[in-house]
Every structure is written in structure tokens, then in C-alpha cells.
Amino acid sequence: MSIDRDLIPASEACRVLGISPATLYAYVSRGLLESRPGRDHRSRVYRRQDVERLAQRKRLGRGPARGAAQSLDRGLPVLETRISLIRPDGPYYRGRSAVGMVRAGATLEDTARLLWDCGTQDPFADPAGDWPARVVSLANDAELPPLARAMAVIPLLALQVPHSFQADQGTRRALAATLLRQNAGLLVARRPSGPVHRLLADTWRPDDEGFAELVRAALVLCADHELNVSAFAARVVASTGAHLHATVCAGLSALAGPRHGGATTRVYKLLEDARQSRDVRRLIASRWRQGEDLPGFGHALYPEGDPRASELLAMLRTQPVPEQPMALLEEVIAAAESVAERRPNVDFMLGAICFAYGLPAAPALSIFAAGRLAGWLAHVLEQQALGRLIRPRASYTGLPPETDAEQE
């Protein structure tokens, strides 16, 4: 990446935005723009694409057009939900703090019952059962990537059950519970059984109670986060009347992207690079000055730090993990805060947990996918109950239509 091409000085940013230096600094303080150290470490530079994006928003004005454009990127709310609320101290699930639920010992199943508004119904009362014969070989194929294995098998599982769109809410919740456990089993190529956090933890580190507690906490904290990309994708598909299994596949597909759940893999790569580096702070500073992102650091909805990550980091610090990887994690965290004023988010902590325990990168994404499925299904059930199609409009910015004379 070229620093001259992708990072511009304050004078150029002011020219593009049509503002004074004082207004530019105000934009930075309000979080509308992000500045980075220049070559001489005294001046500040700005990402060209961020400046141009902000300039485009200014050109849209303050009317409905601007509101519509901003709604698709953590802007104005586009629909109502009773499922979760994001506050500075973390997400709340139907009024209950996710962090508080972790500290109270809640499991993913407890969280799902709350998110799905089950009342007195326990959709997990019946066992998940064995794999149907037609999917056994795929479901147990540990050579396949976890998300690919899940997305290959889940559509076939739909053939075994009635169409969920025509079922009552109780039946849908029971089907959702089966899907939650089946998805967890698919992510680790094992038959679904017992609490999800036990299934995952025993696959990767059998008989390690501290690790199992971390997995339990991570699943609860990842369970839902309002209209994130994967939840919105699942909800849009649900609005068409599609089967629960189809909506889950939509969520998994969205989660796989490197800007969403796939960020955990980029976090792991950053940690591996830091392990090979002789100067971690210099590595972080060099990347930041060149305009590169620091995967796993910062969150637009938590400018003061991601409380989910803080909770997991506090728990990890109490575990008897090897000293060297833990020291490296602390060094990376300190460098990111010192150089970029960025604190770790939940993506970083999922990768960090795996790194600290000597696991590969894949389990981090599997934990995310296993937990977030509870939230997807909550949004799907809510959307199905509404019975409305989600169909936004687009603002056309291409070539104008040809006239009859031009066609001739």
C-alpha cells in the first residue's frame, strides 16, 4: 500500500471537504474522521477513502436522502426490534445485560431461550438426535472448513423437517433449538450433544474447565448484536418466507466475509506476525502509519472500548495459559492503544483466546458462528411473526436513460 496515495495531509483533506483546519480537527474529535501520524510523527494524515466518503455524505445534505444513505452503515435505524439493544456498557438481550449474564453463569442455551422469548417453553427439552444417514459422511468430514461443512449440510437437514414458515411459534422454537445444536456439531464435525460450550471446548481442549468457561462466555457475548451484517442478511431472507435452514445459511455466508466474522482470521495473522517481530510496537506503528487497519481493534459502536472484549480479556488473564503468548497479547494490546488509541474488540479476543491456548485460527470463527446463530434465529422468528417483506430502494447514480433520438 502506498502511503502517498492512500493517506493525505490535513490541507488536502480540508480542500476535499471544503472546511477549515479547525473544523477538520472537530470532525476528528467527534469520531467522524480518523487521523494517523505523518512521516515526521508531528503532522497528521487521513485516509483518502474516509475523507471522500465524508465529503459524499456532506453533498447529500441533511434530508431523507442522507438518512437513507447512512442507514446502511451503522446510521439511522431502519426497523424496530425487541431483541437486543447496544449501549456503551455492552449489548442487552431483551433488557438483560449480556455481560451480566456471563457473570451469572448463563449458557448459550439460556441466552437463546431469552432471545427467542420462549416464556415457559423449553425448546431444548428433547435431545438433538443423530445425523440423518444422507449427511453422516459430510457432517463428520473433519477435513472440510467448519463453515463450509455447516453450509453444505444444513440445506440437506431441511429435507427432514416441515417448512418452518407454516409452523406455529412453539414448533419454530423447537426447530431453532435443534438447528442451534446441529450447527455447533457441524462446526466441530461431531454429533450434537450436551451444552454447546461443552461440545466445542471438549473438542479442542478436553477436561479444561477454565477454557470451557471462556468458550461459554464468548458464546453468550457473541449471541446477538442488533442488526449486524449477518443478522440482517438472515432477516431479509426470512422476510421472503424462506425456511429456517435457508436463513441460517444466509447468516453463515455473511459471517464468513473478512470484514465480519472472518476478521478473527486476520487477528490471528496479526498475532503471528507479532510473534515473529523483534519490535511489536514498531510493527503496529508501521502498519498504522501506512494506512492499514489493525484487525480486532476499535469498534464504531463502542468508541470507549468493546465491553465484550474487556470481559473476555479479564477472564483470560485469570487462566493458567502459557506465559509467552499471554505476554505477547498484552504487548500487542498496549501497542495498539499507544499508537492508534484503539482497544481490542470481541473479534480480537476470539483470536486471542485461540492464540493463547495454542489452537489454530479456525476455532475462533467457529465460536462466533455457534454463538451468533442464536441471534440470527431470534431475528428470523421476529421477522416471520411480522410477516412483512424487507425491500429497500436504491438511489440510481449511473448513466441517464437514453432518449429515442440517441438510440437511433
Side-chain angles (χ1 to χ4, degrees):
M1 178 180 291
S2 167
I3 186 169
D4 293 328
R5 178 181 176 185
D6 297 301
L7 296 175
I8 59 177
S11 58
E12 176 68 5
C14 288
R15 185 192 66 79
V16 173
L17 292 166
I19 58 176
S20 67
T23 303
L24 177 66
Y25 302 145
Y27 282 178
V28 173
S29 66
R30 288 160 51 195
L32 298 176
L33 271 181
E34 180 182 274
S35 67
R36 304 183 184 211
R39 288 185 182 275
D40 58 8
H41 303 290
R42 294 189 301 273
S43 62
R44 308 297 291 181
V45 292
Y46 306 82
R47 293 180 67 185
R48 183 183 297 276
Q49 64 184 33
D50 293 343
V51 173
E52 292 176 347
R53 186 183 298 119
L54 182 57
Q56 183 179 19
R57 289 183 181 179
K58 284 168 58 66
R59 287 193 295 270
L60 286 172
R62 298 190 177 184
R66 181 179 183 183
Q70 290 184 328
S71 293
L72 296 181
D73 186 13
R74 289 173 282 235
L76 300 175
V78 296
L79 55 80
E80 295 179 349
T81 181
R82 295 176 177 269
I83 298 168
S84 63
L85 168 70
I86 296 175
R87 293 180 51 175
D89 58 339
Y92 281 71
Y93 303 151
R94 295 192 184 273
R96 289 191 60 188
S97 164
V99 172
M101 291 179 66
V102 165
R103 294 174 181 175
T107 65
L108 180 62
E109 288 80 0
D110 295 329
T111 307
R113 281 187 281 264
L114 175 64
L115 289 171
W116 302 344
D117 198 22
C118 290
T120 58
Q121 179 192 5
D122 182 6
F124 297 97
D126 295 328
D130 293 322
W131 296 122
R134 70 176 63 192
V135 306
V136 169
S137 60
L138 268 177
N140 294 327
D141 188 349
E143 297 300 314
L144 292 173
L147 262 64
R149 185 168 51 241
M151 287 189 284
V153 172
I154 288 174
L156 298 176
L157 294 175
L159 302 176
Q160 310 295 316
V161 295
H163 197 297
S164 57
F165 185 70
Q166 300 169 336
D168 59 80
Q169 279 290 86
T171 301
R172 292 181 196 176
R173 292 191 192 105
L175 178 56
T178 299
L179 258 176
L180 186 80
R181 294 187 290 195
Q182 288 176 331
N183 178 65
L186 290 170
L187 290 170
V188 291
R190 294 180 63 178
R191 176 181 174 274
S193 62
V196 168
H197 73 278
R198 286 286 179 185
L199 175 65
L200 302 185
D202 288 348
T203 299
W204 300 319
R205 290 187 62 85
D207 303 319
D208 189 329
E209 289 299 317
F211 178 72
E213 273 296 283
L214 274 169
V215 173
R216 177 192 64 80
L219 290 171
V220 172
L221 293 170
C222 288
D224 193 59
H225 209 233
E226 197 214 68
L227 280 186
N228 58 85
V229 175
S230 52
F232 190 63
R235 191 156 186 153
V236 170
V237 173
S239 78
T240 70
H243 204 291
L244 281 184
H245 292 66
T247 66
V248 164
C249 286
L252 288 169
S253 297
L255 188 70
R259 294 179 180 175
H260 194 10
T264 56
T265 302
R266 296 170 57 223
V267 166
Y268 202 92
K269 177 62 167 59
L270 175 65
L271 294 174
E272 288 287 5
D273 290 346
R275 194 206 301 265
Q276 300 300 321
S277 174
R278 295 182 179 180
D279 189 334
V280 171
R281 191 181 188 284
R282 184 176 181 181
L283 170 71
I284 299 297
S286 175
R287 292 191 174 198
W288 187 245
R289 283 197 301 269
Q290 292 179 48
E292 297 181 33
D293 289 330
L294 297 179
F297 286 93
H299 197 294
L301 299 179
Y302 300 113
E304 300 302 318
D306 187 340
R308 301 169 300 173
S310 299
E311 184 69 17
L312 290 174
L313 180 58
M315 292 180 67
L316 180 60
R317 283 170 171 162
T318 67
Q319 301 304 315
V321 296
E323 183 178 343
Q324 286 188 337
M326 195 64 211
L328 182 65
L329 290 174
E330 298 284 11
E331 195 173 359
V332 170
I333 291 171
E337 182 161 7
S338 171
V339 170
E341 298 181 351
R342 293 292 188 94
R343 297 178 178 86
N345 59 35
V346 75
D347 296 325
F348 179 84
M349 286 311 306
L350 294 177
I353 290 169
C354 293
F355 185 83
Y357 278 94
L359 298 172
L365 181 54
S366 294
I367 293 172
F368 202 160
R372 187 54 58 87
L373 193 99
W376 297 339
L377 289 168
H379 284 279
V380 166
L381 293 171
E382 185 176 66
Q383 189 62 39
Q384 286 182 340
L386 289 174
R388 292 201 298 266
L389 184 70
I390 298 175
R391 202 300 190 187
R393 292 296 310 277
S395 177
Y396 178 69
T397 59
L399 295 173
E402 294 180 352
T403 64
D404 291 340
E406 289 172 332
Q407 292 175 358
E408 293 175 359

